[in-house]
Amino acid sequence: MTLADHLGTVISHQMRIGELERRNQQLQLVDRVTSLLAGQISIRDVLPLILSELKDTFGYGGSAIGLVEGDRLVFAAIEDANDGSVQDYFFNHGISLNTGITGRVARTGEPAFIQDVTACPDYLSTSPSIKHEICVPIQIGGQTFGVLNVETGEDRPLLVDDYEVLSTIATHLGMALERSDAWDMERRSRTEIEAIQRVSTIVSSVLDPAEALDRIFETLGLAFDFPFVSINLINEKEIETAVRYGSIQRRADAVPIVDASVIERVKETGVAELVQHFPDLEVAGNDGAGVTTQIATPIYCAGMLSGVLNIEGNHTRP
């Protein structure tokens, strides 16, 4: 009995040491994450590094950072230890805010601590080996702008300590995103003014319409980093592409299906359209590699509708 008492004391000390070591790991991780965020004006490039830190330190099976864009959650970074094709799909397409645990947290702003995902009706299966999940909101001023999500298998249960450290990191992410977005808005405002000034200069100084259009489109592409820009002129009842600029590769034998529908609607109504998400991803994929968003706006000349300015984005530049 005396020996058992001594063993109990030793085991208790070992457990306490283990808890302290784990807490020390958590504090060191938070310190590394805050250092990463503090060293960047625009933080989106460091988000994958943060997920890598989470994986290396705590052995999470998978993790993701998603940002709210309209009615969808778009994943800015994914760390997937299982199926790369699943990672690619969610990174390229995102999910609806009405889909999955991450969508629910992004929609409601309420965190989720799921001990058994198979018993959760909202769970969107990414791998049969996943058992546990924690998803915490990334908030700015009480408004949810994204989520931080981790998943693990049965051999790595998630604890209250995991929830606490993830909540702390999400708080730092929210503050860093607020700073980053403010800087991006200021930079974008300056870029817009400079681009409009350059376009005005081109219009007033270049006599050849074709050359003017080429230079205007190059300005739009470079100033705003649009993946694809085109101008489509109305010729009698038909509409045809007059000039295009961008990196999205297109089929030479046909007008893209999705483009045609949006541009055609603007031609008929004379009202600009912003498509933030194509309802049918397979159809959207036919119109160009990776097109996810589109703006089409009418061009008027002497009060007459003369064409449609078309801009398309992808998941890296929506």
Side-chain angles (χ1 to χ4, degrees), residues 72 75 78 84-95 281:
R72 296 190 69 75
F75 292 96
I78 296 178
S85 64
V86 172
Q87 173 179 333
D88 290 343
Y89 178 85
F90 284 112
F91 184 76
N92 289 327
H93 300 148
I95 62 170
L281 288 170

Side-chain angles (χ1 to χ4, degrees), residues 127-142:
S127 169
S129 64
I130 297 300
K131 179 73 171 180
H132 316 284
E133 182 171 356
I134 292 177
C135 186
V136 292
I138 300 172
Q139 296 184 322
I140 302 172

Side-chain angles (χ1 to χ4, degrees), residues 101 104 112-120 123 131-135 158:
I101 294 171
R104 185 186 76 198
F113 192 162
I114 312 297
Q115 293 289 6
D116 183 2
V117 295
T118 61
C120 179
Y123 177 62
K131 179 73 171 180
H132 316 284
E133 182 171 356
I134 292 177
C135 186
L158 292 172

Side-chain angles (χ1 to χ4, degrees), residues 33-86:
V33 168
T34 53
S35 297
L36 282 171
L37 295 174
Q40 300 290 327
I41 296 177
S42 182
I43 70 164
R44 283 166 174 76
D45 291 340
V46 305
L47 297 182
L49 300 179
I50 293 173
L51 296 187
S52 181
E53 288 278 2
L54 288 172
K55 177 183 177 182
D56 293 342
T57 304
F58 297 122
Y60 296 138
S63 57
I65 295 174
L67 301 177
V68 176
E69 292 184 6
D71 61 351
R72 296 190 69 75
L73 186 67
V74 176
F75 292 96
I78 296 178
E79 181 74 37
D80 190 354
N82 298 295
D83 188 348
S85 64
V86 172

